[in-house]
Amino acid sequence: MTAAPSKPVPPARRPNIVLITLDTTRADRMGFLGSDRGLTPNLDALARQAAVFSRAYAQVPLTGPSHATIFTGTYPQFSHVNYMGDPLDKNLPFLPDILHANGYRTAAFVGALVLDPKKLASGFDRGFDVYDAGFHRRRPGEDHYHSLERRGEEVVSRALAWLSKKPAGPFFLWIHLYDPHDPYSPPEPFKTRFQSNPYDGEIAYTDSVVESLLSGLKTRGLFDGTLIAVMADHGEAFGEHGESHHGIFLYDETIHVPLLFKLPGRHAARKVEARVGLVDVTPSILEAVNLPVPETVQGKSLLSFMTSDPATKKKSSELDLQRPAYAESSYGHLSFGWSTLRALRTGKYLYVEAPERELYDQSVDPLATHNMAPDSRAVADTAAAQVGGFYKDTKGGSGTRQDLNMEQAESLHALGYMSSDSGSAGDQDNHGGPDPKQKIAIANLLYEALVDVENDRFAEAAPILEQVLKQEPNTPTAYLQLGRAYMALKDYQKAVAPLQTLVDKRPEDAYAHYELGCALVKTGHWTEASPHFEAAVSQMSTSAMMHFYLALVYQRTSRSDEAVTAFEDALRLDPGHFPANLLLGRMLVTEQKAIDALPYLRMAAKLRPDAIDAHRSLADAYSQLGRQEDANREINEAERLRSQGGSRLGTPTDDPVGATNQR
């Protein structure tokens, strides 16, 4: 659709925009939506100055895809952002990019790795002057809040620091608060106050963080004239339909979301009962700041619901108060090979397209507990036709799904999500499979196991993973994590079987070959490990780590020339790879090629000056060359480090592929 502005507004006079996304926040926890739990006094106060949409729905119950819907105004079947890690196509309309092109200073401050454009949200930084992310997988000794996510108060502190620099011109500020997402661990005093319900504690804490942001706007004189939009990306399930957490099912607990807009200069409350979607956010903001809405945007502006201005009130007839709200989830399909789910909320009904289709009359069954589909076939048939027609009408061109790389898959597992590895991911037209309703307990178990693995509880994870695989053999992630759990428990022989099965199921998976190769090495089968590392290198030729481990195997199996080449390949990709520099240098010294070894050993000593082995190997090289004074210097340094309790390999740095990341 195209919505031309009523009259041009100079960029300098356009209002500032603050968009706040609350991760994993249920609508029924909001006081302004009827909750009596007292969790959100600050959001409730904001709602008293805003238009509140009481029947707002997410289009996908997952963070990345839902934010893609928010910022592009398109449905997931159009954007092809169906899962975390799916890249945002540069040709899609993108709210920050549109605003930036029209004179806005743009900044994003996000709360977790899942929205880091260098990790799982490729393309989300388009149009931003500042995109504050910088997350990484948890390292030994690190806590969750200094690696995978950061507390909301830190996110807001960074955002207010940016605001204090007084960016020239109007600004667009996006704040993403991840705190309500599990693990539910609110800080004090919320931890003690909500000890029996830590999720509610996270909601209350997040509400207090929103207040600190709003107070920051007020003290800077920015609150009144700023358009403020607040919404959740999706909700959270606590077993209402068998699901724990979110991602697969499309019931209200994960799809019904809070949504409110405070317009510039307006302070009157308004409650809107129309059914709307997060897909409507971008066109609403663009119309509110008098910018045209791109034709490819599929959502509809909600501005006519927020104002009584004659110029916009007449547009209300364009929006049917009972218009349908669409949602879908491919999570179960991509991760397990189960059926994709699609839902349509239309009239008084919620219809879910599934192998066992579902129909609920939400006027009398708001919790969706009684499936009417078997007894109301005519209504179900009509709804099914509507879902099919809507999907067809809003579907974009055919897209090619890109496999997640190793780091992306690892990042998802660290957050408790499965990677899209069921084998169904590459077939864009096949959405069939078993009904997730019959399988949801497996997803819950695997989630529990992934959390255990991330927190190094391998003994607890292993039996759960065995149970998952007994019930659902088509789960590559479970084979991978089971193999890893046994490796961590030093039960290397047990690790071989699940990893061998993983390789058999996914022969094109470089990381599967790598993990199996590691297990075979640990059981002393170096020769058998060789082809798996070779396969890993052939499929991930740009990975220094893969070349490094292949070099180790070649070295151990007396394939010296091939080992040298593999070490050199690793260093060509990552010259700062400490272990490769050290071991290649040491190998060349052993082969009486000290002059060739020196550059590598010097680099190793430079990378880790406190590494005893680097200095000892340098001493050997200098001795071989007859440079005894240099040799003595290195021997003395090695002895000094040893006497001070230093380690043979020194202190690992944060280089992307180094000893800290090696198993």
Side-chain angles (χ1 to χ4, degrees):
M1 59 169 285
T2 302
S6 55
K7 58 181 179 179
V9 177
R13 294 176 54 193
R14 290 199 176 108
N16 300 317
I17 305 166
V18 173
L19 188 148
I20 305 169
T21 54
L22 313 174
D23 213 292
T24 321
T25 298
R26 290 175 62 124
D28 65 6
R29 295 306 197 266
M30 303 292 105
F32 62 86
L33 291 177
S35 172
D36 60 3
R37 300 189 183 206
L39 305 178
T40 58
N42 300 299
L43 284 166
D44 297 344
L46 178 63
R48 288 192 289 272
Q49 304 177 62
V52 172
F53 291 84
S54 62
R55 300 171 70 202
Y57 298 93
Q59 275 58 71
V60 195
L62 290 167
T63 298
S66 188
H67 279 85
T69 295
I70 290 169
F71 285 126
T72 68
T74 65
Y75 289 95
Q77 61 269 29
F78 184 90
S79 70
H80 299 296
V81 182
N82 307 101
Y83 196 53
M84 279 86 72
D86 287 347
L88 194 71
D89 189 276
K90 64 181 180 180
N91 294 315
L92 286 169
F94 195 55
L95 178 64
D97 195 39
I98 296 168
L99 294 173
H100 189 267
N102 283 276
Y104 276 81
R105 304 280 70 79
T106 52
F109 295 86
V110 300
L113 180 146
V114 69
L115 287 174
D116 191 327
K118 294 183 178 179
K119 305 294 184 181
L120 292 168
S122 175
F124 275 72
D125 53 351
R126 174 160 56 100
F128 280 108
D129 296 312
V130 173
Y131 197 111
D132 186 64
F135 299 95
H136 59 268
R137 289 178 57 208
R138 188 174 61 84
R139 303 184 183 108
E142 274 189 319
D143 75 10
H144 203 78
Y145 297 101
H146 293 86
S147 53
L148 295 168
E149 66 170 294
R150 59 180 62 108
R151 296 277 194 194
E153 57 195 291
E154 175 65 18
V155 175
V156 167
S157 175
R158 294 178 180 216
L160 291 177
W162 179 79
L163 273 182
S164 294
K165 297 176 183 177
K166 296 182 178 178
F171 66 79
F172 170 69
L173 174 62
W174 169 33
I175 304 287
H176 165 247
L177 302 175
Y178 192 71
D179 301 88
H181 196 287
D182 78 304
Y184 315 129
S185 180
E188 295 291 2
F190 305 95
K191 180 178 181 180
T192 298
R193 179 183 167 195
F194 295 95
Q195 189 171 3
S196 63
N197 193 334
Y199 174 77
D200 281 7
E202 292 281 30
I203 297 295
Y205 168 66
T206 300
D207 179 75
S208 73
V209 169
V210 171
E211 167 56 21
S212 67
L213 173 64
L214 299 179
S215 294
L217 293 174
K218 290 172 183 175
T219 59
R220 290 164 175 80
L222 297 171
F223 179 82
D224 287 344
T226 295
L227 189 163
I228 300 174
V230 182
M231 68 215 68
D233 58 349
H234 55 77
E236 186 77 318
F238 293 101
E240 292 90 339
H241 291 86
E243 182 178 28
S244 299
H245 306 290
H246 58 269
I248 295 179
F249 287 163
L250 302 173
Y251 307 107
D252 276 14
E253 52 264 27
T254 60
I255 296 296
H256 185 203
V257 293
L259 174 65
L260 65 82
F261 294 85
K262 184 202 79 68
L263 294 178
R266 294 178 183 271
H267 303 286
R270 179 168 299 201
K271 189 171 184 179
V272 181
E273 300 290 345
R275 187 188 288 116
V276 301
L278 294 181
V279 71
D280 302 319
V281 169
T282 279
S284 301
I285 290 176
L286 289 175
E287 186 177 10
V289 299
N290 283 283
L291 286 174
V293 179
E295 292 184 359
T296 47
V297 165
Q298 296 174 308
K300 297 180 180 180
S301 173
L302 307 177
L303 189 62
S304 60
F305 290 126
M306 305 181 216
T307 175
S308 298
D309 289 350
T312 55
K313 186 175 182 180
K314 64 181 182 180
K315 296 183 181 179
S316 61
S317 61
E318 299 174 9
L319 283 172
D320 178 4
L321 295 184
Q322 296 299 317
R323 68 191 180 107
Y326 173 88
E328 71 171 39
S329 173
S330 300
Y331 185 19
H333 185 68
L334 296 173
S335 296
F336 297 99
W338 304 339
S339 175
T340 292
L341 298 180
R342 298 193 179 104
L344 200 68
R345 287 164 171 82
T346 179
K348 64 180 182 178
Y349 295 109
L350 163 61
Y351 175 77
V352 181
E353 182 67 40
E356 180 190 343
R357 61 186 186 173
E358 302 168 60
L359 181 70
Y360 303 97
D361 182 346
Q362 292 197 294
S363 66
V364 295
D365 182 20
L367 301 181
T369 59
H370 175 62
N371 182 11
M372 301 168 53
D375 300 321
S376 302
R377 293 188 177 182
V379 178
D381 288 345
T382 299
Q386 289 177 320
V387 169
F390 187 92
Y391 179 81
K392 181 180 178 182
D393 291 343
T394 52
K395 188 176 184 296
S398 60
T400 302
R401 173 164 294 280
Q402 298 181 15
D403 291 336
L404 298 179
N405 62 38
M406 181 176 61
E407 183 181 3
Q408 289 176 314
E410 291 296 289
S411 296
L412 278 180
H413 298 162
L415 292 168
Y417 294 101
M418 283 68 82
S419 48
S420 52
D421 56 11
S422 70
S424 303
D427 188 348
Q428 295 289 309
D429 297 319
N430 175 22
H431 299 278
D435 196 318
K437 291 191 291 295
Q438 311 305 321
K439 301 278 191 174
I440 192 61
I442 298 169
N444 294 337
L445 282 172
L446 185 49
Y447 179 90
E448 181 182 344
L450 289 174
V451 172
D452 282 337
V453 169
E454 172 60 19
N455 290 282
D456 301 331
R457 297 190 295 263
F458 302 106
E460 292 86 343
I464 298 174
L465 291 164
E466 294 276 15
Q467 187 178 352
V468 168
L469 290 170
K470 184 176 180 180
Q471 297 181 50
E472 183 54 86
N474 186 33
T475 314
T477 294
Y479 289 106
L480 173 64
Q481 298 299 339
L482 181 59
R484 283 186 176 164
Y486 283 133
M487 289 282 283
L489 295 169
K490 301 188 186 306
D491 197 341
Y492 304 124
Q493 195 59 54
K494 271 192 173 181
V496 171
L499 294 172
Q500 181 64 64
T501 302
L502 177 61
V503 166
D504 293 342
K505 286 180 171 292
R506 295 182 63 84
E508 77 292 348
D509 188 329
Y511 208 51
H513 285 283
Y514 161 74
E515 292 282 355
L516 178 56
C518 289
L520 291 169
V521 163
K522 288 293 188 179
T523 56
H525 295 88
W526 288 83
T527 301
E528 291 85 348
S530 178
H532 294 291
F533 285 110
E534 289 170 344
V537 165
S538 70
Q539 295 162 29
M540 293 188 66
S541 60
T542 60
S543 168
M545 182 179 72
M546 296 299 182
H547 287 282
F548 172 73
Y549 279 104
L550 178 60
L552 289 182
V553 173
Y554 283 154
Q555 185 181 29
R556 182 61 180 260
T557 53
S558 302
R559 297 166 65 176
S560 299
D561 291 343
E562 291 164 293
V564 169
T565 299
F567 277 131
E568 291 174 341
D569 287 339
L571 291 170
R572 174 176 50 80
L573 293 164
D574 181 9
H577 194 297
F578 168 79
N581 278 290
L582 176 64
L583 295 185
L584 177 54
R586 183 186 292 170
M587 183 178 179
L588 291 170
V589 170
T590 303
E591 295 177 351
Q592 302 297 307
K593 298 177 180 178
I595 192 67
D596 296 329
L598 278 180
Y600 301 112
L601 295 174
R602 286 171 177 159
M603 176 60 78
K606 180 180 179 181
L607 289 167
R608 297 192 194 172
D610 60 344
I612 295 173
D613 279 12
H615 294 287
R616 284 177 174 169
S617 297
L618 266 174
D620 291 341
Y622 285 132
S623 293
Q624 194 177 111
L625 293 170
R627 296 168 57 176
Q628 202 57 47
E629 183 178 347
D630 291 329
N632 290 339
R633 183 187 69 246
E634 297 300 331
I635 289 172
N636 291 336
E637 179 63 11
E639 179 57 29
R640 184 187 69 80
L641 291 168
R642 187 198 64 77
S643 66
Q644 294 179 353
S647 67
R648 291 180 57 189
L649 298 180
T651 304
T653 59
D654 290 334
D655 50 292
V657 184
T660 55
N661 294 330
Q662 295 158 10
R663 296 182 180 275

